[in-house]
Every structure is written in C-alpha cells, then in structure tokens.
Amino acid sequence: MEYAPLGKSDLLISRIGFGCMSLGDDDAVNETILHRAIDLGINFFDTADLYAKGMNEISVGKALKPNRNKVYIASKVGNQWRADGSGWNWNPRKAYILSQVEGSLQRLQTDYIDLYQLHGGTIDDPIDETIEAFEQLKQQGKIRHYGISSIRPNVIREYIKRSNIVSVMMQYSLLDRRPEETCLSLLQENNLGVLARGAVAQGLLVNKPMKAYLNYAPQQVEQAAAAIHAISNNKRNAAQTAMRYALQHPAVTAAVAGLSTLQQLEEAVRTLETPMLTQEEITMLHGVVAANTYEQHR
C-alpha cells in the first residue's frame, strides 16, 4: 500500500480509501470486508450520517472499533432527514452540525472523528457559521480535521479563503473531468488533499450497461469505456485503469472506492501494483471524449 499526507493535516492516508456507502446491511459480512481492507493496508474509511439513516456508521464503527488506533474514520454532516423519512433537506447551520456530531460519535463508537466533512454546500449557505461549527468541534477534540465534499468551484474557493479545511472530496473520472479545469490545480496550490470518488463512473467505465452520464450521450460513454478497456489488457483490468487515471493527477491524495465485495477490494488495492498510465495512453483517452466543464456554480 502507498500512503500520502492528506493536505496540511497530520493524517497519512492510504492512496486507496474505502467508501463505505456501498456496504450492505449485514454487519458480519461488512466486518469481514473491512478487516480484510485493514490487512491489505487501507487505513482511510469514509462514511456519512446520511447513509442508511445512520446504520452505515453503526456497522462501520462496530467493525473498526478493535482497530481504532490503526485507522482514520471520515464522516459527513449536513443532510437532515425529514421526520416522515421521505428524504432529506440541506442544513449547514452551526447548531445542527454541533448536535449531529454527537450521534455520529455514538454510532461510530469513538471519541473523535479524524475527518469530519460538510456533505455538500452552496454559495448561499451561512459559510462562516458552518466554519465556526467545525472549528468549535476541533477545539473540543471531537474532530481532528475537517473538509468538504463538494464539486462546486464557487463553494470550494470560499472554503479555501475562509476556513482551515484540509481536504475536498469530489467526483473525478475520465467521464467527469470538470475538476481539471480549475479545482484540482487550485487545491494543489493551497496544499489541500483531494479525495477522488466515482473513478469508475458508476461502473460505466467497467461493465455496466451504457447510459447517458452527465453531458455525455450513451454512445460517448461507450467510446470512453472502450478506450479504458483497450489500454487495460494484461496490465490492468478496466477498473484499475479507471482508478489509475484519477490517482495519477498530482492533486489527488487518494481514490475513495465504493467497495461491497472482497473481490472488488482485492482488485482496488492491486491497482497500486499496476503500471501507471503512459502519456500516450492519457492522450489517447483524452482524444476519445472532449473534456466537460462546469456550467453552473463556477
């Protein structure tokens, strides 16, 4: 396993992170997968209070508790379930964040969260108030560091200017190159870690039936997947090639992969044993589909 510092923090995290949202509802199965991940060198596990209405945090916390001093736990806050359970509303208010961390700590069976992330964000949020909440939680020792999970350049810029975030989680893949326009270089310049999610684009770059994705038509998605497969062959499978693409950008600290089976886990970890993409391969991939850019939230 390879490790890298997460931005300005003192967290040295595995370059393959475990995205816990993909776990099922069987605690025993989850424990087997999570313990194997630790054996393989993964030390960064990402969940959220939103996932399975908190049950994901419970399952993850139960499995990781015996190894708490060996791992970094990341969670997220900001999405408030409606009373009738029909969905959730966005709530970045200070009082809400301060109240919700208590539930996450209890569910995760821990005294602190290594990385607490705002689970979204808009330019119309009370950003200073949100930052105050995270700073207070740091002072209280309930969290070690904080970051945001956002794809919006205008929001990311504000947090860079006004807060002490150490990381930004964002979607990034061959089929979502929007971060390449400005965000990745900006985050790199400010020594902030990038946690790349969605490297396989919902599986469309690997083996899922073709469909439209973002601004790409199904035919374009199919062309991108074919290109990924074309440069995989014996060196890497398609999923590993897609993850290599995300990992190779110098701004990216780790690829956070949604893993639900031992096979997926083993393949993801072996990505780091595969050869890096050559410049010729990257050029070929870029020639297959034009890079997309943000139309909103610029």
Side-chain angles (χ1 to χ4, degrees):
M1 179 58 68
E2 298 172 8
Y3 300 88
L6 183 63
K8 305 169 186 175
S9 79
D10 57 354
L11 309 183
L12 193 68
I13 72 169
S14 50
R15 296 211 68 210
I16 302 296
F18 197 117
C20 299
M21 184 178 72
S22 297
L23 291 171
D25 55 9
D26 188 319
D27 286 352
V29 172
N30 294 345
E31 182 174 302
T32 297
I33 297 172
L34 291 168
H35 286 187
R36 179 58 179 156
I38 295 172
D39 291 341
L40 291 170
I42 291 179
N43 69 356
F44 183 81
F45 298 86
D46 177 77
T47 181
D49 60 6
L50 179 70
Y51 303 157
K53 297 183 177 179
M55 295 304 295
N56 192 269
E57 285 184 323
I58 290 174
S59 190
V60 170
K62 180 181 178 182
L64 296 183
K65 186 177 182 180
N67 296 283
R68 182 65 184 95
N69 63 337
K70 301 178 183 177
V71 300
Y72 299 126
I73 296 177
S75 194
K76 310 185 199 73
V77 66
N79 293 295
Q80 182 175 12
W81 280 101
R82 301 186 192 113
D84 61 5
S86 63
W88 58 86
N89 298 316
W90 179 238
N91 190 344
R93 309 297 307 200
K94 179 178 180 179
Y96 180 72
I97 294 170
L98 295 179
S99 67
Q100 291 308 295
V101 73
E102 303 300 336
S104 286
L105 289 169
Q106 183 178 12
R107 289 187 291 270
L108 290 165
Q109 298 187 54
T110 185
D111 296 327
Y112 64 94
I113 295 170
D114 296 286
L115 179 67
Y116 204 35
Q117 302 157 100
L118 185 67
H119 204 171
T122 76
I123 199 64
D124 298 319
D125 289 348
I127 293 175
D128 288 331
E129 180 182 325
T130 302
I131 294 168
E132 284 177 12
F134 286 111
E135 289 290 343
Q136 182 172 325
L137 292 176
K138 272 187 67 178
Q139 292 169 5
Q140 294 172 342
K142 294 177 180 178
I143 67 174
R144 292 179 63 186
H145 303 283
Y146 65 97
I148 61 173
S149 177
S150 178
I151 62 172
R152 298 179 173 185
N154 57 359
V155 173
I156 291 170
R157 281 195 300 270
E158 290 305 310
Y159 276 89
I160 289 175
K161 288 190 293 186
R162 296 153 70 173
S163 79
N164 293 307
I165 60 169
V166 300
S167 64
V168 174
M169 177 174 283
M170 58 171 51
Q171 184 169 287
Y172 178 48
S173 72
L174 179 62
L175 283 172
D176 191 353
R177 293 175 58 196
R178 295 175 296 177
E180 292 178 356
E181 185 182 10
T182 60
C183 287
L184 292 180
S185 59
L186 181 63
L187 291 165
Q188 187 178 7
E189 289 166 9
N190 286 275
N191 192 23
L192 296 174
V194 175
L195 301 168
R197 61 176 178 83
V200 297
Q202 299 176 357
L204 293 171
L205 291 172
V206 182
N207 55 13
K208 293 293 177 67
M210 292 303 112
K211 65 175 184 177
Y213 185 80
L214 299 177
N215 61 309
Y216 295 118
Q219 183 180 2
Q220 293 172 298
V221 172
E222 188 171 10
Q223 289 170 342
I228 289 285
H229 281 81
I231 63 171
S232 298
N233 300 321
N234 298 324
K235 300 178 293 183
R236 305 171 293 260
N237 64 27
Q240 291 165 338
T241 298
M243 289 182 66
R244 266 292 182 202
Y245 179 85
L247 281 167
Q248 250 174 263
H249 195 288
V252 173
T253 305
V256 180
L259 305 169
S260 58
T261 68
L262 286 170
Q263 181 180 350
Q264 289 175 349
L265 168 63
E266 301 275 352
E267 288 184 355
V269 170
R270 284 200 301 270
T271 297
L272 298 175
E273 300 172 7
T274 66
M276 296 178 69
L277 304 184
T278 66
Q279 188 55 55
E280 290 76 15
E281 288 173 328
I282 293 174
T283 300
M284 187 274 281
L285 292 176
H286 286 176
V288 173
V289 287
N292 46 4
T293 58
Y294 287 108
E295 297 178 2
Q296 298 176 313
H297 317 297
R298 296 180 64 87

